[in-house]
Amino acid sequence: MAVMRPEQASAEPSECDTIEELFAALESPLLGYAMRLTGELSLAEDLVQEAFMRLHAQFDEVRDPKRWLYRTVRNLALNQLRSVSKIVQLRSATEEGASVGESADPRPLPDEQIVRLEGIGLVRLSLETLDDRSRELVRLKFTEELSYKEISARTGLSVGNVGFILHHALKAIAEELAKNGVVK
């Protein structure tokens, strides 16, 4: 697309008596000029529109509307570029390889910490309601992260019996937590 310089625009200021004539003569050249300044069509269109709106407000006071419009488009473009340069772009979590739900600060919010600590306290209280053997199996499974087979070898219980006891222990803990309103 060939873009004309401001001094090459087809309309001379003296030839345009109304803002409509000026718009018809200078809109395309101004748009090309704004495009060169910004590199973005939609922004260039906005700048040209803003320049004409400003000219309309003071049309009778402007001696050389063509020059005034080019200067206004240039100033608006420079202002836009300055304001954009002040904005610091943050890379999104997906650009950094993190999932969308992750936040920059991995620590939970204070109210989330309190809820979590209350939940942990209630789980500990629920564990106290279990018999010693069930409590020990839960500890081996969830604290030491042992498999049923490893728990079986350590306790002398069969793998099936370990699973049975853990199932009922976890069910009892869930019922206790439901009574306290932690889970539904």
Side-chain angles (χ1 to χ4, degrees):
M1 163 174 140
V3 179
M4 295 174 22
R5 295 204 176 278
E7 60 272 3
Q8 297 172 323
S10 60
E12 290 299 318
S14 60
E15 294 176 10
C16 300
D17 295 330
T18 65
I19 196 158
E20 292 83 8
E21 291 172 346
L22 197 61
F23 182 80
L26 292 178
E27 187 221 4
S28 291
L30 278 170
L31 189 56
Y33 180 61
M35 255 309 276
R36 283 197 322 269
L37 294 173
T38 63
E40 215 178 300
L41 179 61
S42 64
L43 179 57
E45 290 171 340
D46 290 344
L47 296 178
V48 170
Q49 180 181 5
E50 178 67 24
F52 273 105
M53 295 297 288
R54 289 182 181 192
L55 177 63
H56 185 338
Q58 51 191 355
F59 188 68
D60 295 332
E61 300 164 15
V62 176
R63 286 189 335 203
D64 187 353
K66 176 182 171 183
R67 183 177 294 161
W68 188 94
L69 281 167
Y70 275 96
R71 186 176 55 244
T72 302
V73 167
R74 179 183 173 277
N75 290 341
L76 288 170
L78 290 175
N79 288 343
Q80 176 66 26
L81 293 172
R82 277 188 214 110
S83 68
V84 168
S85 70
K86 291 178 185 176
I87 298 172
V88 177
Q89 294 291 329
L90 297 177
R91 294 188 313 180
S92 70
T94 55
E95 288 178 37
E96 296 175 358
S99 70
V100 176
E102 284 186 46
S103 64
D105 187 0
R107 294 175 297 179
L109 297 172
D111 58 337
E112 292 170 340
Q113 288 176 335
I114 291 171
V115 169
R116 184 174 181 271
L117 291 174
E118 286 176 349
I120 290 170
L122 289 171
V123 168
R124 287 186 176 153
L125 287 173
S126 300
L127 280 169
E128 294 301 318
T129 63
L130 299 176
D131 62 276
D132 291 338
R133 182 175 66 173
S134 296
R135 201 170 29 250
E136 177 63 13
L137 292 180
V138 169
R139 186 189 68 76
L140 291 172
K141 178 66 180 162
F142 296 101
T143 304
E144 295 189 28
E145 299 179 356
L146 299 177
S147 68
Y148 284 12
K149 187 176 182 180
E150 293 168 325
I151 294 171
S152 172
R154 199 178 273 190
T155 61
L157 297 169
S158 70
V159 174
N161 202 3
V162 168
F164 178 82
I165 294 169
L166 278 174
H167 170 76
H168 287 286
L170 294 175
K171 188 174 177 183
I173 291 171
E175 288 171 358
E176 192 68 28
L177 292 175
K179 277 193 247 178
N180 291 316
V182 177
V183 293
K184 294 179 181 181

